Every structure is written in structure tokens, then in C-alpha cells.
Amino acid sequence: MGKIIEFMYRRKALFRWIFFGMLGAVVLYDFTVPRPHHPHFAGDSFYGFWSIWGLVICLAMIIFWKWLAHGFLERDEDYYDN
Amino acid sequence: MITSGIFLHPATWFIVGALLLPFAAKFKLQKALLIAVPVLAFIQIYALPADFGHVQYLGFDLIFGHKDKLSFVFLHVFTLMAVIGCIYGLKVEETEQHIAAFLYVAGSLGVTLAGDYLTIFIFWELMAFASTFLIWFRKRKRSIEAGYRYLMVHVAGGLILLAGIFLRYQNVHDLSFDRILVEGATMADYFILVGFALNAAVPPIHAWLPDAYPEATVAGAVFMCAFTTKTAVYVLARAFPGFEILMWAGAAMTLYGAGYATIENDGRRILAYHIISQVGYMVCAVGIGTEMAINGACAHAYAHILYKALLFMGVGAVLHQTGKSRLSELGGLYKYMPITLVLTVIGGISISGFPLTSGFVSKSMIVEAAGEHHQLGVMLMLLAAAVGTFLSVGLKLPYFIWYGGRQSDFEAQDPSWNMQLGMGIAAFMCIFIGCNPDYLYNMLPYAVEYQPYFGYHVSESLQMFAFTGLGFYFMIKKLTPKRFPASEHLTAHLEATDHGSHHAGPLMNLDFDWFYRKGALLFMWMAKNPLDALNELVSNVYQSIGCRMTMAIAKGSSWFDWHGIDGAIDGSARGVVSLGDKTRMHVTGNLQHYIGASVAALFVILAIVIFT
């Protein structure tokens, strides 16, 4: 297992392209599946919607919570000991 | 009838097992007992009748055994989890840790089978006390303090629950544990709801969980992550389905836990926050309250116990082998602990809900139930939390422990065979349920028409996760936990950086426990004098009443061959005493006496109730 990761690590660039290829593939796959009969909301009928959802929520979550942490929540680990 | 009923109850196996453990340890049978008890209990639950163990006590009808499909699915996963946890902790030498774990499991099974509120309360408190010891047995100063906070919060929660039970008895003179209708809910029911919600870690009464779980022992945390919150989900699902407040609270929990996990640095704390997030799905489903939602809550509880335990076992194994659990101190472990990596990643993709894993077939039921209930907002909150889950547990956690991060040399290797076996069984179950959802669906309380595997759903999940991966790829720098100079350079670092403008050590994030950890100090300062007086009064009362009670118990138990036991439990007794010494340094007053007396009283009551 360690060797496999080592092997992948040495071919970083290749695996980066495989990853990007996968991103394209999952979006393409979305065009092939039938839309749900009873869409819960507009997003359900929009091709590739969940790709945008995944990316936007992921970025928003990191930015919002990092802002919250840096601005308000972060303390030294021995904060309560003093 | 009653005596035969006792041994029907699976909790009895664990209580008897806990009593036998010191002897078993003496005769080198500890490991055999650790496997035999949970396996027997696991088999036992199939043979349970629907109703057993009715006891009349002081005019109350105590029901120790009430089994239906809702309780069975929880019993099934609790006993299975006990088997896995015991295998994982097999090589833990300290008998007392196993005793605590057994009693804790017994409490959980007792609640799950209870048919009335008094029985629930007895086992509820047993869980709280027993699990506290799983924190204390780590024996670090921080663990002991965290254990006290954990116990205090749970005692407070237990009192709220008890208040609700009393009020309820006053109102309706009926303590049978059954569904409460939203329309008829009174103040009493809301007290009970708050008592249950505290154990389900619903914010703002959740902070005990991320405070205490990361401080527990390695094996202890594996047990704790499975039982307390999921027992709470069970009682909520039975008593409070359809309470809309739970739906919103649950949806908020999913995002709250996932958010904190994004900014946390300690591996086990990340997982602890994700318990809040995942239990949020279940609480939300209970709040939706439709048949499909309740099915979803049960299925998700089942799946969650297995993958969360797997994650705690994986990160616990890293802590056990390297002594570290902060992401900022780990990295590059793939060379040394590859098996743990693979198994933990299986847990990580299961919790995220990848196709072919257990999370996919359980979580989607709840999301679908929210959609069918026309709660679009709730549905989208749950789907956003799924992104956050994959980000922090599927990507961040394994990445910074096993791959990126600090690339120093560790003297680590994969843990012992039993720890690997425990993880292996859990990982197998995650995949097995993902590939055979009917195994899980057939156990659920209502008939299932839902089918998780259809093109659109698979496509939705794959897109969400692939593009969360892209987001992680963009933000990897921002997520990298800050490194800190080793302690020998710390002084130099402090001098070099303008004091205060940079943090000098690892960081933590404030949460609601601030109110009782810092806010309480202020309160204590103001209330010091009256409290001191009260404390003195209480100790006086304790000394006159408590001592007499202790003497009475001692007399009553004199038929027991103390000399025989003495030899057997000598070792564990010494361990307890030394732990007691350690704790004594950190507390003032008679706290440990109160706890000891409460536990003793609890057992006496339990014994009287069961054996009369």
C-alpha cells in the first residue's frame, strides 16, 4: 500500500490530470441519467447542478468557518488552563 | 418468572460479565470473557420475547423488557458494536476499563429495552457514570478534568429528565414510555425532550461531546462514540417523532458539526464534531417523523455506529501507535500504517455517503424523506452538510495524517491484530451494507419502498464528492494546520515574534462549553461565599447520612466472601485507588464521595428492583 502511494506520488502530474478527467466524466455522466420524475426543486432538472453545489458549498464552508475561527473562536490550547 | 426474566435481558450478561471480570483477570480468562459476553448478548437478542421483566415496585410498574422492531434494530447494532469494541480493546490490560465499558453497554441496552421512564432513568444514569470512567482511565490531567465536566453536564441533564418524569407522573400518573403527540405535549414532555436532547448533543447543549470524547482512552472513545448519542436517538425516535423543532435543530446540527470539523486540528475532535453532524441527520429525521424518516433515522444510526467506530478506531490506532492525534503533528504515515489508512478511508467514504458504502443507503433515506415532506430548506442543509463531511473526514483527516503534513520519521507501524480485526469487521460491514441495503432495510421498523441505487442519485453523489475534491485541491493551503516550533525553539520563537501577535502553540476553538468553563469561573467568584457555606452543610449531611448508608450496605453484603474477592480484585482495587489519588489532586470537596455513593445507591436500587 505504501508503495502504491509512493508510486502515485512520483507521478503527481499524471494523477492530477486523471482527477480532472474524472471531474469531466462525472459531469458528462449526469447528462446520461434520467431526471427524477418528481423533482424536489429547480436544481433537480439542471444538468451538472450538483457539481456546482459541491464546489460552491465546499469553498463557502472553508472560507466562512476559517473566518469565524480566525476572527472569533481561535485560542491557545491552554486557554482554559490559565 | 422474574428470575428467569433476568437472564433474558442482554444487559444482565454485561452486568454479570463486569462482576466476573476481576476474577477472570485473575485466572487469565479476561480475553475469553471479553469476547464471550458480547457474542452471547448478540445471539440473545434474537431470542427475546416482545414483553418480559415486568416488576411491581412501590406501586410503579417497571418494564425491563419491551421489544419491537424499533428497539430491535438498535439492540442489534449495539450488541454488534460491543463485539467489535471488545475485539478492538482486547489487549487493554486494565480490567477496570473493561468493567466500565461493560456497564456502559449494559446501560445502553437497558434503555433500549425499557418500557417505562423510571427504568430508562436508571439505565440512563448507569450509562453516564460508567462512561465517565472511560474518560478518567486515560489518567491525564486534562482527561480527568474533562471527565468531571462530562459527568456534571450529564448529571444536570439527568436531573432535567427526572424533573420531566416527576412532572409527567403528577400530570397523567402514567410512566409508560410511548409516543408523545405534538398536540398534547406538556411542559413535562419538553423537560424530558431536553434531557434526551442533551445526550443527543443538540446545540447549545452539545459541548460536552467534543470536550470529552477526544480525552477518553483509545478504546473508550470507540465505545463512547457509539452508545450515548444513539441511545438518545432511539428514545427520541420512540417518544418524539414529528416534533418540528427537532427537524430544524437536527438540520442545524449537521452544519454546525461539519463546520467545526473544518477548523479543528485534533483528529479525534474532528470525529467528535462529526458525531454531532451525523446525529443531526437522525434528529432531523425524527423531527420529520414520517415512516420513511423514522426508517432513515434507524438505518443511519445503524450505519453511523459502524463507520464512526471505524474512524475512531483508525485515529485511535494512530494515537496508540504514535502518541499523537493533532493533525499538525502528523503526516506521511502511509509508509508506516498503510492498513489503518485503508480501513480509515473506508470509514471516511462511508460517513460521506459514497455509493457502495453504508452512508449512501442510509443518509439518502433521510434526505429523500425531507424532500417528500416538502422541506426544501432542510433537504439542502443536509446536502450541504454532506459536502462538509466529505471535506473534513473523507479528505482533510486522512490527508493530513497519512499523506501531507509533517513528514517526520515515526517509529510507528500498524496496530496489533485484534485492533486491525475490529477495524476490519467494521469496514466489512460498511461495504456490505452499502452493497446489500436490504440487509439493513429488512430490520427497519416500517416497510421500505425506497431504493437508493438509481442513476440520478448516483450521479448527484458522484458530482458532489468529485467537486468537493476540487474545492479541497484549491484550498489545501488554507486547510493546512499551522505548524509550531518544537518546544526547545519555543522561547526563541516567542522572542522573535512580537508577543501575542502570533500564537505560541497549537490552537483550539471556543464552543459553548466556554459558558461553564470560563463563565462559570466568574459566577463562582461571585457566589463563592454562599456556595462554600452550602458545601459545608452538604458535607455535614453527607457525613451523618452517607456514612450510615455505607455501613448498612457493608452489613447487608457481608454474606459475600470478601476474602475471596479481595485477592482477585486486589490489582484493580489498587488501580482504582491510585486513580482516586490522582483525581483527588484536581478536585476539592467531597465530589468523589458523592459519585461513589450515587453509584453504590444506584446498584443497590437496581439489585433490589431486579431481585425482589
Side-chain angles (χ1 to χ4, degrees):
Chain A
M1 184 62 212
K3 291 213 176 70
I4 300 172
I5 294 176
E6 205 80 64
F7 174 85
M8 287 165 68
Y9 187 74
R10 270 188 259 114
R11 289 161 185 78
K12 247 186 181 166
L14 174 68
F15 279 92
R16 189 176 302 144
W17 286 112
I18 291 179
F19 173 60
F20 290 144
M22 266 166 46
L23 294 181
V26 295
V27 177
L28 283 179
Y29 174 66
D30 198 39
F31 283 87
T32 69
V33 299
R35 302 284 101 184
H37 296 304
H38 308 290
H40 294 308
F41 74 120
D44 276 342
S45 40
F46 185 80
Y47 290 105
F49 173 80
W50 296 109
S51 305
I52 299 166
W53 176 263
L55 183 63
V56 169
I57 296 289
C58 174
L59 296 180
M61 206 146 189
I62 296 172
I63 293 165
F64 173 74
W65 280 91
K66 282 285 173 186
W67 168 78
L68 207 61
H70 293 323
F72 305 96
L73 301 174
E74 233 162 41
R75 294 290 185 279
D76 279 327
E77 205 167 61
D78 52 4
Y79 168 73
Y80 284 119
D81 300 337
N82 303 325
Chain B
M1 178 58 219
I2 290 161
T3 37
S4 66
I6 289 175
F7 287 97
L8 273 177
H9 200 302
T12 312
W13 292 100
F14 284 94
I15 293 174
V16 171
L19 295 174
L20 289 180
L21 266 171
F23 299 98
K26 175 102 173 162
F27 298 107
K28 307 235 180 295
L29 290 170
Q30 176 165 307
K31 286 178 184 154
L33 197 63
L34 282 177
I35 298 299
V37 167
V39 168
L40 275 174
F42 182 68
I43 298 166
Q44 171 86 14
I45 60 162
Y46 285 96
L48 286 179
D51 249 313
F52 62 98
H54 285 250
V55 179
Q56 287 286 332
Y57 183 67
L58 296 178
F60 292 108
D61 189 21
L62 300 178
I63 304 161
F64 283 88
H66 175 82
K67 190 193 87 167
D68 57 12
K69 288 199 90 174
L70 179 61
S71 42
F72 181 78
V73 60
F74 282 89
L75 285 179
H76 196 268
V77 69
F78 284 154
T79 44
L80 175 62
M81 183 56 225
V83 175
I84 294 174
C86 283
I87 292 175
Y88 184 80
L90 200 62
K91 294 210 171 159
V92 174
E93 292 292 332
E94 296 156 305
T95 310
E96 53 274 36
Q97 231 190 93
H98 297 297
I99 295 175
F102 268 22
L103 292 176
Y104 179 41
V105 176
S108 180
L109 297 174
V111 171
T112 313
L113 276 167
D116 70 283
Y117 281 106
L118 282 183
T119 315
I120 286 183
F121 183 76
I122 294 169
F123 286 108
W124 197 260
E125 293 300 298
L126 176 62
M127 282 176 78
F129 282 114
S131 55
T132 305
F133 285 90
L134 294 176
I135 307 167
W136 279 339
F137 282 131
R138 187 134 174 246
K139 296 177 185 173
R140 301 193 321 165
K141 181 170 177 284
R142 245 177 219 187
S143 310
I144 288 163
E145 291 168 352
Y148 273 111
R149 288 194 296 274
Y150 172 88
L151 184 60
M152 287 295 123
V153 171
H154 280 284
V155 166
L159 287 177
I160 294 170
L161 175 61
L162 190 62
I165 295 173
F166 281 161
L167 281 175
R168 187 185 163 80
Y169 188 72
Q170 210 170 29
N171 292 345
V172 291
H173 285 277
D174 174 26
L175 289 181
S176 61
F177 179 48
D178 230 322
R179 179 170 183 170
I180 295 168
L181 295 172
V182 189
E183 304 82 48
T186 60
M187 179 65 108
D189 301 321
Y190 281 103
F191 268 108
I192 294 173
L193 178 65
V194 170
F196 288 168
L198 186 132
N199 269 27
V202 178
I205 42 177
H206 68 286
W208 57 269
L209 195 159
D211 178 26
Y213 284 16
E215 302 300 340
T217 63
V218 167
V222 172
F223 278 94
M224 295 180 78
C225 76
F227 291 98
T228 301
T229 46
K230 262 61 73 185
T231 309
V233 167
Y234 162 76
V235 289
L236 286 173
R238 182 173 288 286
F240 296 100
F243 276 60
E244 196 165 301
I245 187 171
L246 289 177
M247 178 180 77
W248 291 108
M253 279 168 81
T254 61
L255 288 172
Y256 190 93
Y260 260 96
T262 337
I263 53 176
E264 270 299 333
N265 178 23
D266 184 285
R268 293 204 300 172
R269 192 154 277 128
I270 290 174
L271 295 178
Y273 273 112
H274 265 289
I275 298 178
I276 298 178
S277 179
Q278 296 299 306
V279 170
Y281 283 90
M282 300 166 218
V283 171
C284 177
V286 170
I288 293 169
T290 58
E291 287 193 355
M292 184 183 201
I294 298 298
N295 272 345
C298 297
H300 203 49
Y302 195 105
H304 172 82
I305 284 177
L306 294 169
Y307 60 63
K308 182 47 61 95
L310 173 55
L311 288 162
F312 261 97
M313 287 191 274
V315 178
V318 170
L319 174 64
H320 187 255
Q321 302 297 92
T322 67
K324 294 177 168 68
S325 65
R326 289 195 197 103
L327 301 192
S328 55
E329 293 170 352
L330 289 162
L333 272 182
Y334 69 89
K335 286 177 225 157
Y336 311 102
M337 302 179 71
I339 297 171
T340 315
L341 165 64
V342 173
L343 296 172
T344 310
V345 166
I346 291 176
I349 60 174
S350 298
I351 192 175
S352 315
F354 255 66
L356 302 182
T357 64
S358 57
F360 183 82
V361 305
S362 63
K363 194 187 287 185
S364 57
M365 270 183 126
I366 298 175
V367 175
E368 185 63 26
E372 283 193 357
H373 205 55
H374 304 296
Q375 290 291 349
L376 181 63
V378 170
M379 192 183 97
L380 291 179
M381 283 164 88
L382 300 184
L383 285 169
V387 171
T389 305
F390 182 55
L391 170 68
S392 45
V393 184
L395 295 170
K396 175 183 158 186
L397 184 83
Y399 181 88
F400 287 112
I401 292 181
W402 277 278
Y403 187 65
R406 201 185 171 88
Q407 296 283 344
S408 45
D409 284 326
F410 291 98
E411 302 254 325
Q413 52 186 339
D414 275 312
S416 55
W417 66 268
N418 62 301
M419 290 166 92
Q420 292 188 32
L421 180 63
M423 291 190 272
I425 297 173
F428 169 79
M429 288 304 292
C430 288
I431 307 270
F432 176 76
I433 293 170
C435 298
N436 301 284
D438 286 339
Y439 161 83
L440 182 55
Y441 290 175
N442 288 338
M443 262 192 276
L444 298 178
Y446 303 103
V448 180
E449 286 156 24
Y450 179 67
Q451 224 296 0
Y453 288 104
F454 54 96
Y456 183 71
H457 184 208
V458 173
S459 169
E460 173 190 335
S461 310
L462 289 179
Q463 288 182 67
M464 251 170 38
F465 297 130
F467 281 84
T468 305
L470 184 64
F472 179 75
Y473 176 76
F474 285 150
M475 300 299 263
I476 213 157
K477 283 233 163 64
K478 213 167 166 51
L479 282 170
T480 308
K482 284 204 193 97
R483 307 247 179 284
F484 298 97
S487 53
E488 59 264 32
H489 305 305
L490 192 63
T491 345
H493 172 77
L494 272 178
E495 281 161 9
T497 57
D498 191 16
H499 285 258
S501 65
H502 284 75
H503 293 284
L507 301 175
M508 44 83 64
N509 296 297
L510 297 183
D511 200 342
F512 277 87
D513 51 347
W514 185 89
F515 288 98
Y516 52 82
R517 295 175 74 174
K518 281 286 179 188
L521 284 181
L522 193 70
F523 174 78
M524 289 292 278
W525 182 77
M526 288 191 294
K528 191 171 186 311
N529 291 330
L531 262 186
D532 268 357
L534 182 68
N535 188 34
E536 204 167 318
L537 179 72
V538 173
S539 354
N540 287 341
V541 171
Y542 167 76
Q543 266 165 10
S544 46
I545 299 174
C547 288
R548 266 182 217 159
M549 194 186 79
T550 319
M551 292 303 288
I553 294 170
K555 267 188 201 156
S557 327
S558 58
W559 58 269
F560 211 80
D561 183 8
W562 285 108
H563 297 288
I565 302 176
D566 241 23
I569 62 168
D570 200 27
S572 25
R574 254 203 307 274
V576 173
V577 168
S578 81
L579 177 68
D581 285 340
K582 279 186 188 164
T583 53
R584 206 161 301 130
M585 297 194 307
H586 302 296
V587 277
T588 50
N590 288 325
L591 197 57
Q592 62 265 62
H593 296 162
Y594 299 153
I595 295 165
S598 318
V599 174
L602 195 75
F603 274 100
V604 172
I605 293 167
L606 202 63
I608 292 169
V609 165
I610 294 179
F611 289 101
T612 45

